[in-house]
Amino acid sequence: AKVHFTFVPDRRMPLEGRDIYLTGELTQFQLNDNSKLHFNDTLGIYEKELFLKNGYYSYDYVAVDRLTDARPTFKYTEGN
């Protein structure tokens, strides 16, 4: 089934200089184009659609700084 994921940032503005990813078993904990959410300017949200088998999935949203390619952080995504 296709599953639509959304992440709503503060003030519905993109996180400057950062990318948002889904992480967990559903993405094999990989941070790549398949797990990267894209910002929808019209709705003010990050979105990603994945095709998943029926089941239970545990996942998180993480932010990665584009310039430093630093380790993923929950600092900007906790509480969502």
Side-chain angles (χ1 to χ4, degrees), residues 50-61:
L50 294 176
F51 186 80
L52 300 174
K53 293 180 182 179
N54 288 340
Y56 295 96
Y57 295 92
S58 180
Y59 64 92
D60 291 300
Y61 296 106

Side-chain angles (χ1 to χ4, degrees), residues 28-78:
Q28 288 99 38
F29 296 94
Q30 300 291 315
L31 303 181
N32 55 34
D33 286 340
N34 292 328
S35 61
K36 183 177 176 181
L37 282 77
H38 300 280
F39 191 75
N40 180 323
D41 292 312
T42 304
L43 299 176
I45 61 174
Y46 287 89
E47 301 178 291
K48 181 67 180 178
E49 192 169 84
L50 294 176
F51 186 80
L52 300 174
K53 293 180 182 179
N54 288 340
Y56 295 96
Y57 295 92
S58 180
Y59 64 92
D60 291 300
Y61 296 106
V62 295
V64 176
D65 188 306
R66 278 189 222 121
L67 298 177
T68 64
D69 198 29
R71 297 176 73 196
T73 180
F74 295 103
K75 178 179 178 181
Y76 304 97
T77 59
E78 284 183 344

